[in-house]
Each structure stands twice: as C-alpha cells, then as structure tokens.
Amino acid sequence: MKILNNDIDVDVIGFGALNVDKLHTVGSIAGKDEESFIKSQTDTPGGSAANTIIGLSRLGKKTSIIGKIGEDSDGDLIELNLAMNEVYTNNLIYSENGNTGKVMGFVDDEGDRALYVDPGVNDEIKMGEINLMNINTCKIMHYTSFVGDSFKTQIELLEKLNEDIKLSFDPGMLYVEKGLNELAPILGRTDILLINETELRLLYEDYYKAIDNVEEVSLKEIAVHVLDDGIETVVVKQGSKGVYAINNDGEECFVEAFKSDVVDTTGAGDSFNSGFLFGMLNDYSLEKACIIGNWVASKSIQDYGMNAFPSLNQLEEFMDE
C-alpha cells in the first residue's frame, strides 16, 4: 500500500467508493425467473463521489478524492480517468492485494437500471492511510457511501476535519438503510444534505409515521425537521419532477427538471451534485444552484457514464441565456 503525500489546495475532496461500472445495455431488465439479452457492454470508471468530483473538475473547480484501488487494470482505468479529468490523485490509496471495486450495471432502452456491486478494496480504507495535511485545506468534503467498513473510517475522519470545511453528504440507499442512529455522527457534522425523496422519507420515517394522515406529510415538513436537527441546507432530488431545497437562511425553492433525451440515468444524481456544489462554491442563491444542478443532470443523462457531462464553457453559455 502506498499514499501520495503532496499537499495541494483544492476546492472539493470526495470520499467514497471508486468503481469501474461495467455497463450492459439490455432489451429489458429481467425480473425473477425472467430472461433478457445484452446488446452491448462498456467499462466506465465510476463511483458516486468520483462522478461528482469529476463533474466539478470539468466545471473548472480543483478537486481530489479519497479512495482505494487495486493494482489491476480496473485500478489503472480509474487512475487514468481521474488524471485525464484533471482530478488530483494525491489522496488515492493503492492496495497491493485485492481487486478494484466494480459495479455490474444493466440499462434498458428507457434509461432505467439495475446495479450489482463488488466493493473490492473499497472497504479496506483505514484512518492511517489518509494524509490529513492533504485534505484540511479544502472548502467542501463530499461524502458518499461504501458497502462495508470504510464507513467507520469516514466517521473517524469527522473529528479531524477543520471546522471551516463544509461537509456535503449524499448517503444513497446503502447508507439510508443503516438508519438514523448509525448515520447520526455524519449527519451531526453535515452542512449540505443531498438526498432523493424516497431516501428522505425512509430515513426520517420515525419522525412522521405516528402523525395522522402520514401520506400527506410534505417534503417541506420533513426538511424543516432536518434543519432543526442542525443541517444547514437540505436538497431533495425528485428525478424527472425536479428538486426541492430549503436552508436555514430562509431560502426555499422548487425547480423543475429540464426536458432531456434520456439515454442513461446512472449518475444523474451525482451530476446534479456537481452543478449544485458548483453553485455553492460560487455563493449563488439556493435556487440558482438548483437550476444549475438540474441543467447539468439533464445534459449528463444524454449519454452513458460521464460522456455527456458539460464543460464550464457550456455552463457559462447556459447561464448567459
């Protein structure tokens, strides 16, 4: 195992699983006792944190990522992809044993997907493998999920982060299913919660399940409860509907999604995160950050992986319009 120790100031550092997405386009996603057929297959470097970080880099922000890869062809592909997208690799951890993480993905003609995860060495990150001098100069630390024990390392790291670093957290269903008690240390340090509607309602169901007419409990009511717990900004992604967001500065908005020709929805939420965090780094209003996030997501789903992710020039043209 080796760590690169060069200290580089960046805007955002991601901390999450690094995978190669082995995406298969299929006639349909097979259910139990069903069969389908594979039309094509591509290997694309991925992982939720990596997608968001690469997106931010393409939008002109300096980024890095804490993650672990094996010394294999999949690890080489991830490292090359990060470098080609100008993501600093000084926080990568290299494992001499074990395989790089991978996700077997199946995407149908409507862009719907089914995913199967092999975490590999992702779940072996230890606190001693992270160089604190490398990370404590960033503006935002962005957490996403792991399958296994690296979750504990994410919790350990919280106590060592500078107080002025904002923590952005996109838990995903893997972490939501852990429940509030297990996520409490991370949520207690979170400044920006990026979550979809299904995850939000599941994570906070103990708050509202005793309320009469539970089905009528609004997103705003749940989000305000989250704000009351100390999180500064809550962003609820609603897919093709759009996004609802609220913060403790009194800003609140709902922004509709942009119409788009859907090819692959894999990573749409990560792409939104890139645009939204770009807005936060530029001190834009909550609504403007959500608009940018939606626009970026609408572009990214027009091709597989990060192929259609927009550049800073494209974003500037959009904002000028």
Side-chain angles (χ1 to χ4, degrees):
M1 179 273 297
K2 59 183 178 179
I3 312 171
L4 294 181
N5 294 316
N6 43 322
D7 183 10
I8 301 170
D9 289 352
V10 297
D11 297 305
V12 184
I13 296 176
F15 189 178
L18 289 170
N19 301 304
V20 171
D21 294 337
K22 298 179 179 293
L23 297 176
H24 302 76
T25 57
V26 297
S28 61
I29 295 174
K32 184 178 180 181
D33 296 327
E34 294 179 347
E35 294 183 2
S36 185
F37 60 93
I38 295 173
K39 297 180 177 181
S40 63
Q41 189 244 320
T42 57
D43 289 355
T44 306
S48 181
N51 290 340
T52 296
I53 291 303
I54 288 172
L56 279 161
S57 181
R58 291 191 187 180
L59 296 177
K61 298 302 181 183
K62 292 182 179 180
T63 64
S64 181
I65 188 163
I66 302 168
K68 197 168 193 176
I69 56 176
E71 296 189 350
D72 51 26
S73 59
D74 286 339
D76 292 342
L77 180 60
I78 286 173
E79 185 175 16
L80 176 62
N81 184 57
L82 292 171
M84 288 179 62
N85 284 286
E86 300 183 352
V87 176
Y88 291 106
T89 57
N90 58 320
N91 291 302
L92 274 185
I93 305 163
Y94 302 82
S95 176
E96 296 175 357
N97 302 303
N99 63 279
T100 300
K102 60 180 67 71
V103 176
M104 301 294 291
F106 301 88
V107 184
D108 67 15
D109 293 336
E110 284 71 47
D112 294 324
R113 58 181 178 156
L115 304 177
Y116 299 84
V117 181
D118 172 11
V121 296
N122 277 309
D123 289 334
E124 301 173 4
I125 299 175
K126 306 299 181 186
M127 192 63 226
E129 297 175 315
I130 298 173
N131 188 311
L132 296 179
M133 290 185 64
N134 282 358
I135 66 174
N136 265 320
T137 58
C138 71
K139 298 172 184 175
I140 296 176
M141 176 70 67
H142 180 64
Y143 272 20
T144 61
S145 63
F146 289 96
V147 172
D149 286 345
S150 294
F151 169 68
K152 298 176 183 176
T153 305
Q154 286 180 317
I155 292 175
E156 285 185 65
L157 181 61
L158 295 175
E159 297 180 355
K160 303 180 185 300
L161 291 180
N162 288 340
E163 291 183 1
D164 56 351
I165 293 176
K166 297 283 187 182
L167 182 66
S168 168
F169 184 33
D170 187 339
M173 190 56 74
L174 276 175
Y175 276 11
V176 165
E177 290 176 344
K178 291 178 179 292
L180 273 177
N181 288 338
E182 279 201 66
L183 293 183
I186 297 178
L187 291 170
R189 177 62 175 79
T190 294
D191 299 287
I192 304 168
L193 179 63
L194 298 157
I195 191 168
N196 70 38
E197 181 175 359
T198 301
E199 294 163 354
L200 180 76
R201 291 188 180 277
L202 177 60
L203 186 59
Y204 288 93
E205 65 178 352
D206 286 345
Y207 158 68
Y208 67 83
K209 67 182 181 181
I211 300 175
D212 293 338
N213 299 318
V214 167
E215 294 181 357
E216 297 180 9
V217 176
S218 67
L219 283 181
K220 178 176 181 177
E221 184 173 354
I222 303 171
V224 168
H225 171 71
V226 178
L227 293 180
D228 289 342
D229 278 351
I231 293 176
E232 294 179 1
T233 302
V234 180
V235 182
V236 187
K237 294 172 279 188
Q238 298 178 272
S240 60
K241 294 181 185 176
V243 62
Y244 170 79
I246 189 170
N247 65 24
N248 59 11
D249 289 329
E251 293 181 283
E252 179 185 8
C253 64
F254 172 78
V255 177
E256 291 185 353
F258 290 86
K259 292 182 179 180
S260 181
D261 295 325
V262 178
V263 173
D264 176 22
T265 59
T266 305
D270 305 329
S271 300
F272 171 88
N273 293 347
S274 298
F276 182 83
L277 293 177
F278 174 90
M280 292 292 96
L281 288 165
N282 285 285
D283 294 322
Y284 293 158
S285 69
L286 186 65
E287 182 176 20
K288 185 172 182 178
C290 287
I291 291 171
I292 293 171
N294 276 353
W295 181 82
V296 168
S298 75
K299 294 300 179 183
S300 71
I301 62 178
Q302 294 179 23
D303 204 342
Y304 294 102
M306 299 288 286
N307 292 338
F309 199 98
S311 66
L312 178 59
N313 286 340
Q314 290 172 298
L315 176 57
E316 288 174 342
E317 289 176 3
F318 165 73
M319 290 192 293
D320 287 343
E321 294 172 1

